[in-house]
Amino acid sequence: MTVTLKDKITALINAEDKKNPLTDEQLAVQLSILRETVTGVRKELKIPNSRTRKREIVKTVVSKIMAEKPDISIGGLVNKLEESGICISRTYVTELINELKDMQKENTEKSSEKQKNNIFSKLIGYDGSLLKNIKQGQAAILYPPLGLPTLIVGESGTGKTLFAEYMYKYAVDQKVLKENAPFMLFNCADYSDNPQLLVSILYGYKKGAFTGADKDTEGIVEKADNGMLFLDEIHRLPPKGQEMLFSILDRGKFRRMGEVEVERTTHIYFIGATTENIESSLLLTFRRIPMIIELPTLEDRSLHEKIKLIHGFFQQEANRINYKILVKAKIMEAFVFKKYSGNIGQLKSEIQVTCANAYVDKINNKREEIYIGFNEVLYQKFFYDINTQKNTIRFNDALFIPNDDEIEDSMLAVKNQYSLPRDIYETIENKYYELKKNNVNVEETEKIIWDFLLGYFNKISLDSQDKNLSSLDDLKYLFDSSIIQLLKDFKDLVKNIYPDRKINEKVLIYLAIHLEEAVKRIKFNQEIMNPNLIYIKENFTDEFDLAGKLAQKLAQSKSIEVPEGETGFIAIYIHELLKLPDKKNRIAIITISHGKVASEMINVVKKMLNVDFPIAIDMPLDVNPIKIFEQVVEVAKSLNADEGILFFVDMGSLVTIGEIVHSRTGIQTRTIDRVDLISVIEAVRKADASEESLDNIYYDIINSKHDYSLVTVENSNKPPAFVSMCLTGHGVALTIKDTLARYYAKVKIIPMSIMDDNVKEKIDNIKHQYNIIAVVGTINPKIKGLNFIPYDNDFGKDKRMFLDYLLQENNGGLMHTLIKKEFILLEVECTSKKEIINMLGKLLFNKGFVKFEYIDSVSGREKMSSTYFRNAVALPHGLPSFVSKSIIVFARLKKKVVWDKNGNEAQLICLPAIKSEDVDAVNKLFRILKQKEKVDKLLHVQQQQEFLEELSNIYE
């Protein structure tokens, strides 16, 4: 039998040392052939290269070592690998660990996505106040063989029955119960004054068991066999019934009432519910039930959840009575801040009563919709006890349209949604090893990590303006209650020590989250790395002492030993807790120069302006610029500059630093070269004392460095144009035109001569058709209101920046302000014109762009004549007098709908809600929609951003 080359290569690879696999070069030597031949055959056999083969083996070994010793250091891991015969570098190991972490993160995200698709995710509060309850419910259902008997405890109206129903749905979804398995609900309170009747209905009875028992009858328990039994108000179950219930739960056996010898078998998942306190004497017997789920009251739920519930109930009413419901902002606010002793049930009932009263008003006034306004606040008694003292949320009017199943939070305008912070330990470790990988020295590493920590804690301080979670109590369903209580006690201690100091309680929320993570790490012996511990102890003495006391209490509470590094982290939180409110540094300013010029310059700026946020980075002449670039990128990541970074540099390769930082981090940047002290002082002053944007500061500084100034460009819908000007209008003017055309292909460039007798008149004539951005030339025509940029042979980047800025001010006219990504709706599932108009009208009204009457004016316009345009486009529109703010909405339907009596079908709906003064802005849009090939492009793009870009390209 002939042995082929493929067989030989396969045999050698199969026999190789898996920890040190053969390279293609080694295989080639053994077989006396070219390496390229080995590579080709190996690829044909679909065998990975030696590095990949080794990586999988190493990954397996590393995973095993880390599972046994989760706190092992990189160096320790390298040593362990060497002991097992695997020789690799620290960098290689670090890469592998990061890869394993990414895999773990991906698996966690997939698990999270799976949780989102879980049946419980339909419950409002599934990821908030009900999170713990849902985990308990899932555990109770999945526990073999028949789940854990469960008792749901909660006040009246908290949703106990609904939660039990979702546990049943979850059991069916998880294939624990069959799809048609019974769900038997029985309320013990219904028969509580007749215990004998209650027991007989529940467990069944034998013929002759009591007067009137004329035949054998099965009870609810038997009907629930192989399904779920839910007993509400279980504390009303009489002693005999309790005894029989626990016989079922313990042994799966019971007897019908009147039976003595026969013992029946049943297999049920059991849930009980009660409004009684679990510590009540009425529930002594039921404490034997292993799983206790205590549902939160409506008062204990977050405002966000409460608002979603209110929206949901109004939407249900709109669907039920098949009328539009308009709810004024004041009513929304009243429902949100009212206290409900009857919880969700009372809330739902009061919304129904409100809608019923408003429905009567609708009939009396012959309205088309139900209007719930200020009268309801005056006449409904259940609004008398509302409390809006803590209200920092702005409410808008809300519109609910029948058959719209979507529950929106459209009336809630919250800019800073609360989110749990990332694990700070992991972030510091990743940053530390990344800096080590880039050969940043220890001193610089500590400085960068310290800057990051300052930015992190500054963000906590700024986020404290967010009121979505405002106290430790808001975390009680998410985190360890003992940690919450520990921090409450600590807050009292701090207040006693600093009676005049205002405590930033939002920091305590972050600290609670941090401590829970810290306890986990300590218990799993994971290393807590704090490179700045010495600095913290020296500079935050009082905070470190307080942190020590808190750490001691934590250690006692959790029976752990808190390392000093963790105490250091706690000290920074305490520093932030006590810090006086500080102004937000919206814009960061970083000066970079060769030698030590940057440090000296920034020291002067800090002393003169009494600020501390400008940063200096010195670049030694003998250091590779790439190292400095990496350092600057890390510094940029650590800053909390929401509106970007302004770089000042001196010369050379540093002028590209802004572009590098932007491409690596996504942070907006601007760079000014040939740095001077006056420019830096002016920029720092503006960033510190004014609300000017990054671009405005940047262009102001650039402008001040030159001997010409700019005037504001008029915001116009006309296409932009440059005028290129010289003495004759031919020679240099044409050169300027060619130069500008290379950079501004979409801008009209018009050559002119300064010698024309009627230059000003010609300019005025051009203005009728174009918006003139600037004159670029060798001679200034000195026309009032017209920008002039001098042209020379070195038409540098700084002058083009002026033109960029002026074009940005022009911004393509009103059209760009009228079309926004969030108002482009793709693949909309609507089946009629009425449904489309209602949907778009609701969107515009709830977002504050139109008044309520606008929707009726659109419908009224449709009755007058068809608004079908052409090319499957329809242009419904209403009266400008009902428009508050101009906007254009696009809705691309999944399927065409018949738009008028002529049978025209529309798929792209364009609704321009335009004020009278903005009507001219849409004329060109209409001209575009006449062109079939351009509409076809809009009908086939996949994403909103693509649609927006395509529209912009067409318009330009």
Side-chain angles (χ1 to χ4, degrees), residues 125-151:
Y126 80 96
D127 54 353
S129 62
L130 296 181
L131 183 61
K132 179 182 175 183
N133 304 138
I134 288 170
K135 286 182 179 178
Q136 289 176 304
Q138 291 171 329
I141 292 298
L142 297 176
Y143 197 82
L146 288 170
L148 288 175
T150 299
L151 181 63

mmCIF file of all heavy atoms in Angstrom, residues 125-151:
data_model
loop_
_atom_site.group_PDB
_atom_site.id
_atom_site.type_symbol
_atom_site.label_atom_id
_atom_site.label_comp_id
_atom_site.label_asym_id
_atom_site.label_seq_id
_atom_site.Cartn_x
_atom_site.Cartn_y
_atom_site.Cartn_z
ATOM 1 N N GLY A 125 -40.960 44.788 35.895
ATOM 2 C CA GLY A 125 -40.114 44.662 37.082
ATOM 3 C C GLY A 125 -39.286 43.394 37.082
ATOM 4 O O GLY A 125 -38.601 43.090 38.048
ATOM 5 N N TYR A 126 -39.307 42.648 35.934
ATOM 6 C CA TYR A 126 -38.564 41.383 35.890
ATOM 7 C C TYR A 126 -37.067 41.584 36.100
ATOM 8 O O TYR A 126 -36.373 40.710 36.607
ATOM 9 C CB TYR A 126 -38.817 40.663 34.561
ATOM 10 C CG TYR A 126 -38.016 41.174 33.398
ATOM 11 C CD1 TYR A 126 -36.822 40.575 33.017
ATOM 12 C CD2 TYR A 126 -38.429 42.297 32.677
ATOM 13 C CE1 TYR A 126 -36.076 41.068 31.964
ATOM 14 C CE2 TYR A 126 -37.699 42.788 31.632
ATOM 15 C CZ TYR A 126 -36.528 42.168 31.273
ATOM 16 O OH TYR A 126 -35.780 42.666 30.233
ATOM 17 N N ASP A 127 -36.556 42.766 35.682
ATOM 18 C CA ASP A 127 -35.129 43.036 35.844
ATOM 19 C C ASP A 127 -34.888 44.045 36.962
ATOM 20 O O ASP A 127 -33.809 44.622 37.058
ATOM 21 C CB ASP A 127 -34.528 43.550 34.533
ATOM 22 C CG ASP A 127 -35.277 44.768 33.989
ATOM 23 O OD1 ASP A 127 -36.337 45.119 34.557
ATOM 24 O OD2 ASP A 127 -34.811 45.359 33.010
ATOM 25 N N GLY A 128 -35.880 44.259 37.792
ATOM 26 C CA GLY A 128 -35.757 45.226 38.888
ATOM 27 C C GLY A 128 -36.271 44.652 40.188
ATOM 28 O O GLY A 128 -35.676 43.733 40.761
ATOM 29 N N SER A 129 -37.426 45.137 40.643
ATOM 30 C CA SER A 129 -37.932 44.754 41.960
ATOM 31 C C SER A 129 -38.340 43.285 42.050
ATOM 32 O O SER A 129 -38.407 42.726 43.140
ATOM 33 C CB SER A 129 -39.122 45.643 42.326
ATOM 34 O OG SER A 129 -40.173 45.458 41.401
ATOM 35 N N LEU A 130 -38.629 42.639 40.918
ATOM 36 C CA LEU A 130 -39.051 41.228 40.941
ATOM 37 C C LEU A 130 -37.907 40.261 40.637
ATOM 38 O O LEU A 130 -38.133 39.052 40.550
ATOM 39 C CB LEU A 130 -40.180 41.004 39.925
ATOM 40 C CG LEU A 130 -41.506 41.742 40.174
ATOM 41 C CD1 LEU A 130 -42.510 41.375 39.095
ATOM 42 C CD2 LEU A 130 -42.075 41.427 41.541
ATOM 43 N N LEU A 131 -36.701 40.778 40.465
ATOM 44 C CA LEU A 131 -35.579 39.937 40.038
ATOM 45 C C LEU A 131 -35.351 38.770 40.991
ATOM 46 O O LEU A 131 -35.254 37.610 40.584
ATOM 47 C CB LEU A 131 -34.315 40.796 39.921
ATOM 48 C CG LEU A 131 -33.056 40.093 39.412
ATOM 49 C CD1 LEU A 131 -33.286 39.559 38.005
ATOM 50 C CD2 LEU A 131 -31.871 41.043 39.423
ATOM 51 N N LYS A 132 -35.282 39.076 42.300
ATOM 52 C CA LYS A 132 -35.052 38.030 43.299
ATOM 53 C C LYS A 132 -36.222 37.049 43.323
ATOM 54 O O LYS A 132 -36.034 35.827 43.396
ATOM 55 C CB LYS A 132 -34.865 38.677 44.669
ATOM 56 C CG LYS A 132 -34.636 37.688 45.803
ATOM 57 C CD LYS A 132 -34.511 38.417 47.125
ATOM 58 C CE LYS A 132 -34.407 37.441 48.288
ATOM 59 N NZ LYS A 132 -34.358 38.138 49.600
ATOM 60 N N ASN A 133 -37.454 37.568 43.252
ATOM 61 C CA ASN A 133 -38.641 36.716 43.277
ATOM 62 C C ASN A 133 -38.645 35.744 42.103
ATOM 63 O O ASN A 133 -38.998 34.574 42.253
ATOM 64 C CB ASN A 133 -39.909 37.569 43.227
ATOM 65 C CG ASN A 133 -39.981 38.594 44.344
ATOM 66 O OD1 ASN A 133 -40.364 39.732 44.119
ATOM 67 N ND2 ASN A 133 -39.603 38.226 45.563
ATOM 68 N N ILE A 134 -38.273 36.241 40.926
ATOM 69 C CA ILE A 134 -38.275 35.401 39.726
ATOM 70 C C ILE A 134 -37.252 34.274 39.845
ATOM 71 O O ILE A 134 -37.523 33.124 39.493
ATOM 72 C CB ILE A 134 -38.025 36.261 38.471
ATOM 73 C CG1 ILE A 134 -39.275 37.107 38.187
ATOM 74 C CG2 ILE A 134 -37.680 35.401 37.260
ATOM 75 C CD1 ILE A 134 -39.090 38.161 37.128
ATOM 76 N N LYS A 135 -36.073 34.607 40.374
ATOM 77 C CA LYS A 135 -35.059 33.557 40.569
ATOM 78 C C LYS A 135 -35.579 32.495 41.531
ATOM 79 O O LYS A 135 -35.364 31.292 41.327
ATOM 80 C CB LYS A 135 -33.766 34.181 41.113
ATOM 81 C CG LYS A 135 -32.989 34.957 40.069
ATOM 82 C CD LYS A 135 -31.696 35.512 40.646
ATOM 83 C CE LYS A 135 -30.901 36.263 39.573
ATOM 84 N NZ LYS A 135 -29.659 36.846 40.118
ATOM 85 N N GLN A 136 -36.282 32.933 42.586
ATOM 86 C CA GLN A 136 -36.868 31.972 43.527
ATOM 87 C C GLN A 136 -37.921 31.116 42.831
ATOM 88 O O GLN A 136 -37.966 29.888 43.015
ATOM 89 C CB GLN A 136 -37.514 32.716 44.698
ATOM 90 C CG GLN A 136 -36.529 33.375 45.651
ATOM 91 C CD GLN A 136 -37.252 34.173 46.730
ATOM 92 O OE1 GLN A 136 -38.040 35.059 46.433
ATOM 93 N NE2 GLN A 136 -36.991 33.837 47.984
ATOM 94 N N GLY A 137 -38.777 31.762 42.040
ATOM 95 C CA GLY A 137 -39.830 31.037 41.331
ATOM 96 C C GLY A 137 -39.271 30.017 40.364
ATOM 97 O O GLY A 137 -39.770 28.882 40.266
ATOM 98 N N GLN A 138 -38.222 30.394 39.640
ATOM 99 C CA GLN A 138 -37.594 29.465 38.693
ATOM 100 C C GLN A 138 -36.985 28.271 39.426
ATOM 101 O O GLN A 138 -37.132 27.127 39.003
ATOM 102 C CB GLN A 138 -36.522 30.196 37.885
ATOM 103 C CG GLN A 138 -37.088 31.213 36.908
ATOM 104 C CD GLN A 138 -36.012 32.075 36.273
ATOM 105 O OE1 GLN A 138 -34.986 32.359 36.891
ATOM 106 N NE2 GLN A 138 -36.248 32.522 35.064
ATOM 107 N N ALA A 139 -36.292 28.564 40.534
ATOM 108 C CA ALA A 139 -35.671 27.487 41.324
ATOM 109 C C ALA A 139 -36.737 26.532 41.851
ATOM 110 O O ALA A 139 -36.566 25.300 41.838
ATOM 111 C CB ALA A 139 -34.877 28.083 42.481
ATOM 112 N N ALA A 140 -37.864 27.079 42.324
ATOM 113 C CA ALA A 140 -38.941 26.246 42.872
ATOM 114 C C ALA A 140 -39.512 25.317 41.807
ATOM 115 O O ALA A 140 -39.816 24.155 42.080
ATOM 116 C CB ALA A 140 -40.040 27.128 43.441
ATOM 117 N N ILE A 141 -39.651 25.801 40.584
ATOM 118 C CA ILE A 141 -40.223 24.993 39.503
ATOM 119 C C ILE A 141 -39.258 23.902 39.051
ATOM 120 O O ILE A 141 -39.643 22.755 38.811
ATOM 121 C CB ILE A 141 -40.610 25.889 38.307
ATOM 122 C CG1 ILE A 141 -41.773 26.809 38.662
ATOM 123 C CG2 ILE A 141 -40.928 25.058 37.073
ATOM 124 C CD1 ILE A 141 -43.062 26.087 39.014
ATOM 125 N N LEU A 142 -37.985 24.253 38.934
ATOM 126 C CA LEU A 142 -37.003 23.322 38.343
ATOM 127 C C LEU A 142 -36.487 22.276 39.320
ATOM 128 O O LEU A 142 -35.857 21.305 38.911
ATOM 129 C CB LEU A 142 -35.820 24.115 37.767
ATOM 130 C CG LEU A 142 -36.171 25.077 36.615
ATOM 131 C CD1 LEU A 142 -34.936 25.865 36.203
ATOM 132 C CD2 LEU A 142 -36.739 24.328 35.420
ATOM 133 N N TYR A 143 -36.742 22.453 40.618
ATOM 134 C CA TYR A 143 -36.208 21.518 41.619
ATOM 135 C C TYR A 143 -36.894 20.152 41.473
ATOM 136 O O TYR A 143 -38.124 20.057 41.508
ATOM 137 C CB TYR A 143 -36.443 22.070 43.027
ATOM 138 C CG TYR A 143 -35.596 21.395 44.078
ATOM 139 C CD1 TYR A 143 -34.287 21.787 44.287
ATOM 140 C CD2 TYR A 143 -36.113 20.362 44.860
ATOM 141 C CE1 TYR A 143 -33.494 21.182 45.244
ATOM 142 C CE2 TYR A 143 -35.331 19.741 45.816
ATOM 143 C CZ TYR A 143 -34.029 20.146 46.007
ATOM 144 O OH TYR A 143 -33.255 19.540 46.956
ATOM 145 N N PRO A 144 -36.097 19.062 41.282
ATOM 146 C CA PRO A 144 -36.700 17.741 41.070
ATOM 147 C C PRO A 144 -37.212 17.144 42.401
ATOM 148 O O PRO A 144 -36.727 17.526 43.462
ATOM 149 C CB PRO A 144 -35.539 16.922 40.503
ATOM 150 C CG PRO A 144 -34.310 17.586 41.040
ATOM 151 C CD PRO A 144 -34.646 19.042 41.173
ATOM 152 N N PRO A 145 -38.178 16.197 42.375
ATOM 153 C CA PRO A 145 -38.870 15.731 41.164
ATOM 154 C C PRO A 145 -40.105 16.562 40.826
ATOM 155 O O PRO A 145 -40.531 16.628 39.695
ATOM 156 C CB PRO A 145 -39.275 14.305 41.544
ATOM 157 C CG PRO A 145 -39.504 14.376 43.032
ATOM 158 C CD PRO A 145 -38.511 15.378 43.560
ATOM 159 N N LEU A 146 -40.740 17.177 41.856
ATOM 160 C CA LEU A 146 -41.965 17.941 41.608
ATOM 161 C C LEU A 146 -41.848 19.359 42.128
ATOM 162 O O LEU A 146 -42.804 19.927 42.652
ATOM 163 C CB LEU A 146 -43.155 17.236 42.277
ATOM 164 C CG LEU A 146 -43.617 15.928 41.614
ATOM 165 C CD1 LEU A 146 -44.617 15.201 42.485
ATOM 166 C CD2 LEU A 146 -44.215 16.197 40.240
ATOM 167 N N GLY A 147 -40.673 19.939 41.989
ATOM 168 C CA GLY A 147 -40.470 21.314 42.421
ATOM 169 C C GLY A 147 -40.509 21.448 43.927
ATOM 170 O O GLY A 147 -40.687 20.464 44.663
ATOM 171 N N LEU A 148 -40.319 22.675 44.391
ATOM 172 C CA LEU A 148 -40.424 22.966 45.826
ATOM 173 C C LEU A 148 -41.790 23.586 46.103
ATOM 174 O O LEU A 148 -42.188 24.534 45.410
ATOM 175 C CB LEU A 148 -39.336 23.957 46.254
ATOM 176 C CG LEU A 148 -37.899 23.453 46.318
ATOM 177 C CD1 LEU A 148 -36.973 24.622 46.637
ATOM 178 C CD2 LEU A 148 -37.742 22.368 47.370
ATOM 179 N N PRO A 149 -42.527 23.055 47.102
ATOM 180 C CA PRO A 149 -43.758 23.750 47.497
ATOM 181 C C PRO A 149 -43.440 25.211 47.821
ATOM 182 O O PRO A 149 -42.427 25.510 48.460
ATOM 183 C CB PRO A 149 -44.207 22.979 48.747
ATOM 184 C CG PRO A 149 -43.608 21.614 48.571
ATOM 185 C CD PRO A 149 -42.287 21.841 47.895
ATOM 186 N N THR A 150 -44.293 26.109 47.365
ATOM 187 C CA THR A 150 -43.981 27.545 47.430
ATOM 188 C C THR A 150 -45.115 28.321 48.090
ATOM 189 O O THR A 150 -46.293 28.031 47.848
ATOM 190 C CB THR A 150 -43.760 28.091 46.009
ATOM 191 O OG1 THR A 150 -42.654 27.398 45.418
ATOM 192 C CG2 THR A 150 -43.463 29.581 46.026
ATOM 193 N N LEU A 151 -44.741 29.290 48.913
ATOM 194 C CA LEU A 151 -45.713 30.198 49.514
ATOM 195 C C LEU A 151 -45.392 31.618 49.054
ATOM 196 O O LEU A 151 -44.295 32.119 49.299
ATOM 197 C CB LEU A 151 -45.649 30.116 51.046
ATOM 198 C CG LEU A 151 -46.634 31.011 51.808
ATOM 199 C CD1 LEU A 151 -48.064 30.622 51.493
ATOM 200 C CD2 LEU A 151 -46.377 30.942 53.310
#
